Amino acid sequence: MSGAGNTTTTNEVAIPGFKQIMGHPAPLWMLFMTEFWERFAFYGIRWALVLYIVAQFYAGSGAGEGPAGLVYGAYLALVYAGAVFGGLVADRVIGYQRSILIGAAFMAAGLFMITVPNEDFFKLGLATIIVGNGLFKPNISTMVGKLYALADTRRDSGFTIFYMGINTGALIAPVLTGYLAEKYAGPGAGPAYKAVFFAAGIGMLLSLVWFYFGRRQLKGIGAPTPEAQSPMRMVWVVLGALCAIPVMYALLRIEAAKLQVVLSVLFVILAIMLVVEGVREGKVARDKTIAMMIIFFFNIMFWCFFEQAGSSFTFLADKIVDRQLGTFLFPTAWFQSVNSIAVIVCAPIIAAIWVMLGRRNNNPSIPRKFGLGILFNGFAFLLLMFALGSLVNPEGKIPFWTLFAVYVIQSIGELCLSPIGLSMVTKLAPTRLVGLGMGGWFLATGIGNNLSGIFASHASGSAGMSAATALGAYTQGFYILMAGGVLLFLLAPLIQKLMHGVK
Ligand code: GLN
């Protein structure tokens, strides 16, 4: 364990003695706040994107919903896929701290760009956010892992705390930006989306400033290696990022199926790069990399179904859930916050459970935690099957509590899997390619997101969602998740062996 004044090593990297605050290295809290503001920006605009596209570029016509959904799906998939390049840049070119700073600056620029009401400029702005996020998101996550020695049992709970920062930002942002959109709405002009995007841009600048001044606390962790010090490298990265913007712009416009092909090819290339590097580092590193790749596969499955939360569950909430609570109609959009609240409430409990089990040497292995995550996701679909099969009232609606509980159950699954996955990558990826490994994790998430859109359209059928189409799709979802979870439990001993003692 890295205590103050000692120096411990993880892989090849020395960990300086950090001051400990609330049982964790002090820089964890700085990274927490940096990520809080970045997620504030990210989730501050997320709810508004499709609504804005339809209102601004399709004059509010329903015909705009399809194209808006397409752009939104591609944006989410690319935001996560962009992490592959960001991770590689940090590993090989300029280190983690500088990547985070450049990424934050690009993200802020993109957020201000989308305030301009021109469709092409808007998409270029989204492309800029994608590029910035790619440089920022995987690398800040990797930095968290770099604060702990390999054998430090606090690592998973450190990531779970970091995850609370993510969700606190995700919770507050829509509330604030939603308020601003209403407050500055012109008479008869609809919500003021410009205020939403502008507030998010300010949030991103705060993240940049927070990290800029806070990074001193890192005592050199994530700083460029001696050969990567040259400022010219920064110039090349900025130029490369600028060139990536039109590429992302073009990818934002292609169909989900074609994007799936692009992402899959990228995934194969990345897997080869990681395994080749693993082999180069020796048999143990090779096995660990293979174990990580197997887990990535299950990660795709998890997010494909989890992300129904933002797509098909929204139609469900809108049309098939009885949202009338006495005289109050619970807004559809508010279901999005249930996830963040559940994560914030449950994260400390789950982190404490891992630490407690760890003390008794009973902490479930990584694949088992993943298996639990997938099973919980499956239980959420089981509840939906029950609700849609047996609880539909004469008006064709299911009770409010069922969807509410679905979001909570999914969040418990997310906590068994998502922070653990981030933590896992920092333990299993080849030492010289941890950033790329993190990129792979987010690419898998991106692929899951893209597939989730395809599954969501299946759940809606060709004529829009009905209780019957939803029941059919969610029943399939349940069986796929159960099969995945059980398979992972069966494979757990083998994967554990490949991990060579990593817990
Ligand atoms: N909600 C988390 C975040 O924003 C996880 C997202 C994901 O990995 N799909 O970081």
Side-chain angles (χ1 to χ4, degrees), residues 182-216:
E182 291 308 320
K183 184 169 157 57
Y184 292 105
Y193 294 109
K194 211 176 241 193
V196 171
F197 303 149
F198 193 76
I202 302 280
M204 198 58 229
L205 287 179
L206 285 172
S207 169
L208 173 62
V209 170
W210 205 286
F211 187 73
Y212 183 83
F213 289 108
R215 76 203 145 113
R216 230 170 296 139

PDB file of all heavy atoms in Angstrom, residues 182-216:
ATOM      1  N   GLU A 182     -35.238  26.677 -19.628  1.00  0.00           N
ATOM      2  CA  GLU A 182     -36.574  27.257 -19.401  1.00  0.00           C
ATOM      3  C   GLU A 182     -36.493  28.747 -19.092  1.00  0.00           C
ATOM      4  O   GLU A 182     -37.253  29.557 -19.603  1.00  0.00           O
ATOM      5  CB  GLU A 182     -37.282  26.535 -18.248  1.00  0.00           C
ATOM      6  CG  GLU A 182     -37.677  25.111 -18.572  1.00  0.00           C
ATOM      7  CD  GLU A 182     -38.465  24.999 -19.869  1.00  0.00           C
ATOM      8  OE1 GLU A 182     -39.322  25.861 -20.140  1.00  0.00           O
ATOM      9  OE2 GLU A 182     -38.203  24.049 -20.655  1.00  0.00           O
ATOM     10  N   LYS A 183     -35.501  29.085 -18.222  1.00  0.00           N
ATOM     11  CA  LYS A 183     -35.398  30.466 -17.746  1.00  0.00           C
ATOM     12  C   LYS A 183     -35.144  31.441 -18.902  1.00  0.00           C
ATOM     13  O   LYS A 183     -35.705  32.531 -18.951  1.00  0.00           O
ATOM     14  CB  LYS A 183     -34.259  30.557 -16.726  1.00  0.00           C
ATOM     15  CG  LYS A 183     -34.103  31.934 -16.088  1.00  0.00           C
ATOM     16  CD  LYS A 183     -33.140  31.839 -14.907  1.00  0.00           C
ATOM     17  CE  LYS A 183     -32.477  33.103 -14.514  1.00  0.00           C
ATOM     18  NZ  LYS A 183     -33.230  34.232 -14.176  1.00  0.00           N
ATOM     19  N   TYR A 184     -34.293  31.031 -19.834  1.00  0.00           N
ATOM     20  CA  TYR A 184     -33.941  31.941 -20.933  1.00  0.00           C
ATOM     21  C   TYR A 184     -34.752  31.703 -22.200  1.00  0.00           C
ATOM     22  O   TYR A 184     -34.409  32.231 -23.257  1.00  0.00           O
ATOM     23  CB  TYR A 184     -32.436  31.855 -21.219  1.00  0.00           C
ATOM     24  CG  TYR A 184     -31.630  32.415 -20.064  1.00  0.00           C
ATOM     25  CD1 TYR A 184     -30.955  31.579 -19.185  1.00  0.00           C
ATOM     26  CD2 TYR A 184     -31.579  33.794 -19.828  1.00  0.00           C
ATOM     27  CE1 TYR A 184     -30.245  32.101 -18.092  1.00  0.00           C
ATOM     28  CE2 TYR A 184     -30.890  34.303 -18.749  1.00  0.00           C
ATOM     29  CZ  TYR A 184     -30.226  33.461 -17.895  1.00  0.00           C
ATOM     30  OH  TYR A 184     -29.552  33.975 -16.824  1.00  0.00           O
ATOM     31  N   ALA A 185     -35.787  30.855 -22.083  1.00  0.00           N
ATOM     32  CA  ALA A 185     -36.616  30.604 -23.271  1.00  0.00           C
ATOM     33  C   ALA A 185     -37.318  31.897 -23.682  1.00  0.00           C
ATOM     34  O   ALA A 185     -37.914  32.567 -22.845  1.00  0.00           O
ATOM     35  CB  ALA A 185     -37.645  29.527 -22.938  1.00  0.00           C
ATOM     36  N   GLY A 186     -37.210  32.205 -24.971  1.00  0.00           N
ATOM     37  CA  GLY A 186     -37.894  33.414 -25.463  1.00  0.00           C
ATOM     38  C   GLY A 186     -39.378  33.116 -25.588  1.00  0.00           C
ATOM     39  O   GLY A 186     -39.767  31.956 -25.708  1.00  0.00           O
ATOM     40  N   PRO A 187     -40.227  34.126 -25.611  1.00  0.00           N
ATOM     41  CA  PRO A 187     -41.671  33.877 -25.725  1.00  0.00           C
ATOM     42  C   PRO A 187     -41.984  33.155 -27.037  1.00  0.00           C
ATOM     43  O   PRO A 187     -41.585  33.620 -28.108  1.00  0.00           O
ATOM     44  CB  PRO A 187     -42.291  35.288 -25.697  1.00  0.00           C
ATOM     45  CG  PRO A 187     -41.151  36.250 -25.585  1.00  0.00           C
ATOM     46  CD  PRO A 187     -39.863  35.517 -25.552  1.00  0.00           C
ATOM     47  N   GLY A 188     -42.592  31.982 -26.922  1.00  0.00           N
ATOM     48  CA  GLY A 188     -42.961  31.185 -28.105  1.00  0.00           C
ATOM     49  C   GLY A 188     -41.795  30.571 -28.842  1.00  0.00           C
ATOM     50  O   GLY A 188     -41.966  29.973 -29.902  1.00  0.00           O
ATOM     51  N   ALA A 189     -40.577  30.702 -28.306  1.00  0.00           N
ATOM     52  CA  ALA A 189     -39.407  30.227 -29.065  1.00  0.00           C
ATOM     53  C   ALA A 189     -38.877  28.885 -28.568  1.00  0.00           C
ATOM     54  O   ALA A 189     -37.895  28.379 -29.076  1.00  0.00           O
ATOM     55  CB  ALA A 189     -38.299  31.273 -28.987  1.00  0.00           C
ATOM     56  N   GLY A 190     -39.539  28.286 -27.581  1.00  0.00           N
ATOM     57  CA  GLY A 190     -39.072  26.992 -27.070  1.00  0.00           C
ATOM     58  C   GLY A 190     -37.858  27.167 -26.162  1.00  0.00           C
ATOM     59  O   GLY A 190     -37.373  28.291 -25.970  1.00  0.00           O
ATOM     60  N   PRO A 191     -37.363  26.051 -25.615  1.00  0.00           N
ATOM     61  CA  PRO A 191     -36.261  26.124 -24.658  1.00  0.00           C
ATOM     62  C   PRO A 191     -35.011  26.776 -25.252  1.00  0.00           C
ATOM     63  O   PRO A 191     -34.766  26.692 -26.461  1.00  0.00           O
ATOM     64  CB  PRO A 191     -35.976  24.651 -24.337  1.00  0.00           C
ATOM     65  CG  PRO A 191     -37.186  23.908 -24.786  1.00  0.00           C
ATOM     66  CD  PRO A 191     -37.804  24.690 -25.880  1.00  0.00           C
ATOM     67  N   ALA A 192     -34.239  27.445 -24.383  1.00  0.00           N
ATOM     68  CA  ALA A 192     -33.032  28.145 -24.844  1.00  0.00           C
ATOM     69  C   ALA A 192     -31.845  27.172 -24.830  1.00  0.00           C
ATOM     70  O   ALA A 192     -31.094  27.108 -23.861  1.00  0.00           O
ATOM     71  CB  ALA A 192     -32.756  29.341 -23.941  1.00  0.00           C
ATOM     72  N   TYR A 193     -31.716  26.409 -25.922  1.00  0.00           N
ATOM     73  CA  TYR A 193     -30.654  25.398 -25.967  1.00  0.00           C
ATOM     74  C   TYR A 193     -29.266  26.038 -25.942  1.00  0.00           C
ATOM     75  O   TYR A 193     -28.299  25.442 -25.485  1.00  0.00           O
ATOM     76  CB  TYR A 193     -30.824  24.513 -27.196  1.00  0.00           C
ATOM     77  CG  TYR A 193     -32.082  23.686 -27.131  1.00  0.00           C
ATOM     78  CD1 TYR A 193     -33.163  23.949 -27.964  1.00  0.00           C
ATOM     79  CD2 TYR A 193     -32.197  22.653 -26.204  1.00  0.00           C
ATOM     80  CE1 TYR A 193     -34.326  23.196 -27.881  1.00  0.00           C
ATOM     81  CE2 TYR A 193     -33.351  21.894 -26.111  1.00  0.00           C
ATOM     82  CZ  TYR A 193     -34.409  22.173 -26.966  1.00  0.00           C
ATOM     83  OH  TYR A 193     -35.555  21.435 -26.868  1.00  0.00           O
ATOM     84  N   LYS A 194     -29.197  27.257 -26.461  1.00  0.00           N
ATOM     85  CA  LYS A 194     -27.913  27.959 -26.474  1.00  0.00           C
ATOM     86  C   LYS A 194     -27.367  28.085 -25.051  1.00  0.00           C
ATOM     87  O   LYS A 194     -26.180  27.888 -24.805  1.00  0.00           O
ATOM     88  CB  LYS A 194     -28.137  29.364 -27.062  1.00  0.00           C
ATOM     89  CG  LYS A 194     -26.955  29.901 -27.806  1.00  0.00           C
ATOM     90  CD  LYS A 194     -27.303  31.231 -28.436  1.00  0.00           C
ATOM     91  CE  LYS A 194     -27.146  31.109 -29.929  1.00  0.00           C
ATOM     92  NZ  LYS A 194     -27.147  32.331 -30.645  1.00  0.00           N
ATOM     93  N   ALA A 195     -28.266  28.395 -24.114  1.00  0.00           N
ATOM     94  CA  ALA A 195     -27.852  28.534 -22.707  1.00  0.00           C
ATOM     95  C   ALA A 195     -27.345  27.196 -22.168  1.00  0.00           C
ATOM     96  O   ALA A 195     -26.391  27.140 -21.381  1.00  0.00           O
ATOM     97  CB  ALA A 195     -29.027  29.034 -21.865  1.00  0.00           C
ATOM     98  N   VAL A 196     -27.972  26.111 -22.629  1.00  0.00           N
ATOM     99  CA  VAL A 196     -27.570  24.760 -22.194  1.00  0.00           C
ATOM    100  C   VAL A 196     -26.122  24.494 -22.630  1.00  0.00           C
ATOM    101  O   VAL A 196     -25.262  24.092 -21.839  1.00  0.00           O
ATOM    102  CB  VAL A 196     -28.506  23.703 -22.839  1.00  0.00           C
ATOM    103  CG1 VAL A 196     -27.988  22.294 -22.602  1.00  0.00           C
ATOM    104  CG2 VAL A 196     -29.927  23.872 -22.328  1.00  0.00           C
ATOM    105  N   PHE A 197     -25.861  24.751 -23.918  1.00  0.00           N
ATOM    106  CA  PHE A 197     -24.541  24.435 -24.468  1.00  0.00           C
ATOM    107  C   PHE A 197     -23.483  25.366 -23.871  1.00  0.00           C
ATOM    108  O   PHE A 197     -22.345  24.950 -23.617  1.00  0.00           O
ATOM    109  CB  PHE A 197     -24.549  24.544 -26.004  1.00  0.00           C
ATOM    110  CG  PHE A 197     -25.590  23.657 -26.662  1.00  0.00           C
ATOM    111  CD1 PHE A 197     -26.209  24.019 -27.857  1.00  0.00           C
ATOM    112  CD2 PHE A 197     -25.953  22.455 -26.068  1.00  0.00           C
ATOM    113  CE1 PHE A 197     -27.170  23.198 -28.450  1.00  0.00           C
ATOM    114  CE2 PHE A 197     -26.919  21.621 -26.648  1.00  0.00           C
ATOM    115  CZ  PHE A 197     -27.526  22.003 -27.836  1.00  0.00           C
ATOM    116  N   PHE A 198     -23.878  26.586 -23.657  1.00  0.00           N
ATOM    117  CA  PHE A 198     -22.949  27.563 -23.106  1.00  0.00           C
ATOM    118  C   PHE A 198     -22.557  27.178 -21.665  1.00  0.00           C
ATOM    119  O   PHE A 198     -21.376  27.184 -21.303  1.00  0.00           O
ATOM    120  CB  PHE A 198     -23.600  28.953 -23.143  1.00  0.00           C
ATOM    121  CG  PHE A 198     -22.635  30.060 -22.901  1.00  0.00           C
ATOM    122  CD1 PHE A 198     -21.744  30.466 -23.893  1.00  0.00           C
ATOM    123  CD2 PHE A 198     -22.577  30.694 -21.671  1.00  0.00           C
ATOM    124  CE1 PHE A 198     -20.828  31.476 -23.661  1.00  0.00           C
ATOM    125  CE2 PHE A 198     -21.669  31.710 -21.423  1.00  0.00           C
ATOM    126  CZ  PHE A 198     -20.799  32.100 -22.428  1.00  0.00           C
ATOM    127  N   ALA A 199     -23.569  26.805 -20.874  1.00  0.00           N
ATOM    128  CA  ALA A 199     -23.291  26.409 -19.480  1.00  0.00           C
ATOM    129  C   ALA A 199     -22.366  25.191 -19.459  1.00  0.00           C
ATOM    130  O   ALA A 199     -21.447  25.087 -18.628  1.00  0.00           O
ATOM    131  CB  ALA A 199     -24.600  26.093 -18.757  1.00  0.00           C
ATOM    132  N   ALA A 200     -22.594  24.264 -20.378  1.00  0.00           N
ATOM    133  CA  ALA A 200     -21.750  23.069 -20.438  1.00  0.00           C
ATOM    134  C   ALA A 200     -20.309  23.467 -20.788  1.00  0.00           C
ATOM    135  O   ALA A 200     -19.347  22.926 -20.218  1.00  0.00           O
ATOM    136  CB  ALA A 200     -22.303  22.090 -21.472  1.00  0.00           C
ATOM    137  N   GLY A 201     -20.173  24.423 -21.714  1.00  0.00           N
ATOM    138  CA  GLY A 201     -18.833  24.907 -22.090  1.00  0.00           C
ATOM    139  C   GLY A 201     -18.106  25.497 -20.886  1.00  0.00           C
ATOM    140  O   GLY A 201     -16.908  25.250 -20.677  1.00  0.00           O
ATOM    141  N   ILE A 202     -18.836  26.254 -20.087  1.00  0.00           N
ATOM    142  CA  ILE A 202     -18.232  26.843 -18.879  1.00  0.00           C
ATOM    143  C   ILE A 202     -17.806  25.726 -17.917  1.00  0.00           C
ATOM    144  O   ILE A 202     -16.708  25.756 -17.348  1.00  0.00           O
ATOM    145  CB  ILE A 202     -19.255  27.771 -18.149  1.00  0.00           C
ATOM    146  CG1 ILE A 202     -19.730  28.879 -19.062  1.00  0.00           C
ATOM    147  CG2 ILE A 202     -18.683  28.301 -16.830  1.00  0.00           C
ATOM    148  CD1 ILE A 202     -18.806  30.041 -19.214  1.00  0.00           C
ATOM    149  N   GLY A 203     -18.664  24.725 -17.762  1.00  0.00           N
ATOM    150  CA  GLY A 203     -18.327  23.589 -16.898  1.00  0.00           C
ATOM    151  C   GLY A 203     -17.035  22.926 -17.355  1.00  0.00           C
ATOM    152  O   GLY A 203     -16.162  22.575 -16.552  1.00  0.00           O
ATOM    153  N   MET A 204     -16.901  22.793 -18.675  1.00  0.00           N
ATOM    154  CA  MET A 204     -15.695  22.140 -19.209  1.00  0.00           C
ATOM    155  C   MET A 204     -14.457  22.992 -18.953  1.00  0.00           C
ATOM    156  O   MET A 204     -13.366  22.466 -18.672  1.00  0.00           O
ATOM    157  CB  MET A 204     -15.901  21.898 -20.719  1.00  0.00           C
ATOM    158  CG  MET A 204     -14.971  20.885 -21.298  1.00  0.00           C
ATOM    159  SD  MET A 204     -15.082  19.269 -20.508  1.00  0.00           S
ATOM    160  CE  MET A 204     -13.366  18.947 -20.210  1.00  0.00           C
ATOM    161  N   LEU A 205     -14.605  24.312 -19.041  1.00  0.00           N
ATOM    162  CA  LEU A 205     -13.468  25.192 -18.732  1.00  0.00           C
ATOM    163  C   LEU A 205     -13.069  25.032 -17.261  1.00  0.00           C
ATOM    164  O   LEU A 205     -11.881  25.027 -16.927  1.00  0.00           O
ATOM    165  CB  LEU A 205     -13.817  26.653 -19.033  1.00  0.00           C
ATOM    166  CG  LEU A 205     -13.878  27.026 -20.516  1.00  0.00           C
ATOM    167  CD1 LEU A 205     -14.254  28.488 -20.667  1.00  0.00           C
ATOM    168  CD2 LEU A 205     -12.558  26.747 -21.228  1.00  0.00           C
ATOM    169  N   LEU A 206     -14.066  24.861 -16.401  1.00  0.00           N
ATOM    170  CA  LEU A 206     -13.758  24.659 -14.974  1.00  0.00           C
ATOM    171  C   LEU A 206     -12.962  23.362 -14.790  1.00  0.00           C
ATOM    172  O   LEU A 206     -12.020  23.297 -13.994  1.00  0.00           O
ATOM    173  CB  LEU A 206     -15.047  24.599 -14.153  1.00  0.00           C
ATOM    174  CG  LEU A 206     -15.731  25.944 -13.931  1.00  0.00           C
ATOM    175  CD1 LEU A 206     -17.091  25.759 -13.277  1.00  0.00           C
ATOM    176  CD2 LEU A 206     -14.852  26.825 -13.045  1.00  0.00           C
ATOM    177  N   SER A 207     -13.341  22.337 -15.526  1.00  0.00           N
ATOM    178  CA  SER A 207     -12.608  21.066 -15.448  1.00  0.00           C
ATOM    179  C   SER A 207     -11.149  21.276 -15.860  1.00  0.00           C
ATOM    180  O   SER A 207     -10.211  20.805 -15.199  1.00  0.00           O
ATOM    181  CB  SER A 207     -13.285  20.046 -16.377  1.00  0.00           C
ATOM    182  OG  SER A 207     -12.495  18.913 -16.527  1.00  0.00           O
ATOM    183  N   LEU A 208     -10.976  22.031 -16.958  1.00  0.00           N
ATOM    184  CA  LEU A 208      -9.621  22.312 -17.471  1.00  0.00           C
ATOM    185  C   LEU A 208      -8.788  23.054 -16.426  1.00  0.00           C
ATOM    186  O   LEU A 208      -7.642  22.686 -16.125  1.00  0.00           O
ATOM    187  CB  LEU A 208      -9.753  23.134 -18.761  1.00  0.00           C
ATOM    188  CG  LEU A 208      -8.489  23.696 -19.395  1.00  0.00           C
ATOM    189  CD1 LEU A 208      -7.551  22.572 -19.819  1.00  0.00           C
ATOM    190  CD2 LEU A 208      -8.832  24.534 -20.638  1.00  0.00           C
ATOM    191  N   VAL A 209      -9.385  24.086 -15.852  1.00  0.00           N
ATOM    192  CA  VAL A 209      -8.662  24.903 -14.873  1.00  0.00           C
ATOM    193  C   VAL A 209      -8.349  24.073 -13.620  1.00  0.00           C
ATOM    194  O   VAL A 209      -7.251  24.118 -13.067  1.00  0.00           O
ATOM    195  CB  VAL A 209      -9.509  26.152 -14.510  1.00  0.00           C
ATOM    196  CG1 VAL A 209      -8.935  26.898 -13.332  1.00  0.00           C
ATOM    197  CG2 VAL A 209      -9.620  27.063 -15.723  1.00  0.00           C
ATOM    198  N   TRP A 210      -9.322  23.290 -13.207  1.00  0.00           N
ATOM    199  CA  TRP A 210      -9.137  22.450 -12.014  1.00  0.00           C
ATOM    200  C   TRP A 210      -7.931  21.527 -12.198  1.00  0.00           C
ATOM    201  O   TRP A 210      -7.085  21.382 -11.317  1.00  0.00           O
ATOM    202  CB  TRP A 210     -10.397  21.609 -11.766  1.00  0.00           C
ATOM    203  CG  TRP A 210     -10.532  21.209 -10.336  1.00  0.00           C
ATOM    204  CD1 TRP A 210      -9.793  20.258  -9.684  1.00  0.00           C
ATOM    205  CD2 TRP A 210     -11.412  21.773  -9.368  1.00  0.00           C
ATOM    206  NE1 TRP A 210     -10.174  20.186  -8.377  1.00  0.00           N
ATOM    207  CE2 TRP A 210     -11.169  21.105  -8.152  1.00  0.00           C
ATOM    208  CE3 TRP A 210     -12.398  22.759  -9.408  1.00  0.00           C
ATOM    209  CZ2 TRP A 210     -11.867  21.399  -6.985  1.00  0.00           C
ATOM    210  CZ3 TRP A 210     -13.088  23.049  -8.248  1.00  0.00           C
ATOM    211  CH2 TRP A 210     -12.818  22.378  -7.058  1.00  0.00           C
ATOM    212  N   PHE A 211      -7.863  20.907 -13.365  1.00  0.00           N
ATOM    213  CA  PHE A 211      -6.759  19.965 -13.588  1.00  0.00           C
ATOM    214  C   PHE A 211      -5.444  20.707 -13.791  1.00  0.00           C
ATOM    215  O   PHE A 211      -4.386  20.263 -13.328  1.00  0.00           O
ATOM    216  CB  PHE A 211      -7.064  19.066 -14.800  1.00  0.00           C
ATOM    217  CG  PHE A 211      -6.048  17.969 -14.966  1.00  0.00           C
ATOM    218  CD1 PHE A 211      -6.036  16.881 -14.092  1.00  0.00           C
ATOM    219  CD2 PHE A 211      -5.086  18.028 -15.962  1.00  0.00           C
ATOM    220  CE1 PHE A 211      -5.092  15.879 -14.204  1.00  0.00           C
ATOM    221  CE2 PHE A 211      -4.139  17.022 -16.089  1.00  0.00           C
ATOM    222  CZ  PHE A 211      -4.150  15.945 -15.214  1.00  0.00           C
ATOM    223  N   TYR A 212      -5.523  21.831 -14.463  1.00  0.00           N
ATOM    224  CA  TYR A 212      -4.296  22.601 -14.748  1.00  0.00           C
ATOM    225  C   TYR A 212      -3.581  22.946 -13.438  1.00  0.00           C
ATOM    226  O   TYR A 212      -2.378  22.754 -13.296  1.00  0.00           O
ATOM    227  CB  TYR A 212      -4.652  23.868 -15.536  1.00  0.00           C
ATOM    228  CG  TYR A 212      -3.433  24.658 -15.932  1.00  0.00           C
ATOM    229  CD1 TYR A 212      -2.705  24.305 -17.072  1.00  0.00           C
ATOM    230  CD2 TYR A 212      -2.978  25.722 -15.158  1.00  0.00           C
ATOM    231  CE1 TYR A 212      -1.578  25.000 -17.432  1.00  0.00           C
ATOM    232  CE2 TYR A 212      -1.846  26.425 -15.514  1.00  0.00           C
ATOM    233  CZ  TYR A 212      -1.156  26.058 -16.653  1.00  0.00           C
ATOM    234  OH  TYR A 212      -0.025  26.734 -16.997  1.00  0.00           O
ATOM    235  N   PHE A 213      -4.356  23.446 -12.465  1.00  0.00           N
ATOM    236  CA  PHE A 213      -3.737  23.832 -11.192  1.00  0.00           C
ATOM    237  C   PHE A 213      -3.551  22.636 -10.254  1.00  0.00           C
ATOM    238  O   PHE A 213      -2.636  22.633  -9.444  1.00  0.00           O
ATOM    239  CB  PHE A 213      -4.562  24.934 -10.512  1.00  0.00           C
ATOM    240  CG  PHE A 213      -4.452  26.249 -11.234  1.00  0.00           C
ATOM    241  CD1 PHE A 213      -5.508  26.755 -11.972  1.00  0.00           C
ATOM    242  CD2 PHE A 213      -3.249  26.959 -11.215  1.00  0.00           C
ATOM    243  CE1 PHE A 213      -5.385  27.952 -12.672  1.00  0.00           C
ATOM    244  CE2 PHE A 213      -3.127  28.166 -11.906  1.00  0.00           C
ATOM    245  CZ  PHE A 213      -4.200  28.656 -12.638  1.00  0.00           C
ATOM    246  N   GLY A 214      -4.427  21.642 -10.384  1.00  0.00           N
ATOM    247  CA  GLY A 214      -4.375  20.513  -9.440  1.00  0.00           C
ATOM    248  C   GLY A 214      -3.288  19.500  -9.772  1.00  0.00           C
ATOM    249  O   GLY A 214      -2.867  18.733  -8.917  1.00  0.00           O
ATOM    250  N   ARG A 215      -2.797  19.501 -11.020  1.00  0.00           N
ATOM    251  CA  ARG A 215      -1.948  18.383 -11.436  1.00  0.00           C
ATOM    252  C   ARG A 215      -0.632  18.355 -10.685  1.00  0.00           C
ATOM    253  O   ARG A 215       0.055  17.329 -10.663  1.00  0.00           O
ATOM    254  CB  ARG A 215      -1.764  18.371 -12.952  1.00  0.00           C
ATOM    255  CG  ARG A 215      -0.814  19.382 -13.508  1.00  0.00           C
ATOM    256  CD  ARG A 215      -1.103  19.672 -14.946  1.00  0.00           C
ATOM    257  NE  ARG A 215      -0.809  21.086 -15.148  1.00  0.00           N
ATOM    258  CZ  ARG A 215       0.174  21.528 -15.902  1.00  0.00           C
ATOM    259  NH1 ARG A 215       0.909  20.705 -16.604  1.00  0.00           N
ATOM    260  NH2 ARG A 215       0.415  22.808 -15.982  1.00  0.00           N
ATOM    261  N   ARG A 216      -0.246  19.474 -10.046  1.00  0.00           N
ATOM    262  CA  ARG A 216       0.975  19.467  -9.241  1.00  0.00           C
ATOM    263  C   ARG A 216       0.927  18.385  -8.168  1.00  0.00           C
ATOM    264  O   ARG A 216       1.911  17.769  -7.849  1.00  0.00           O
ATOM    265  CB  ARG A 216       1.144  20.845  -8.590  1.00  0.00           C
ATOM    266  CG  ARG A 216       2.518  21.433  -8.793  1.00  0.00           C
ATOM    267  CD  ARG A 216       2.544  22.881  -8.348  1.00  0.00           C
ATOM    268  NE  ARG A 216       1.668  23.725  -9.161  1.00  0.00           N
ATOM    269  CZ  ARG A 216       0.888  24.687  -8.666  1.00  0.00           C
ATOM    270  NH1 ARG A 216       0.840  24.936  -7.376  1.00  0.00           N
ATOM    271  NH2 ARG A 216       0.153  25.430  -9.463  1.00  0.00           N
TER     272      ARG A 216
END
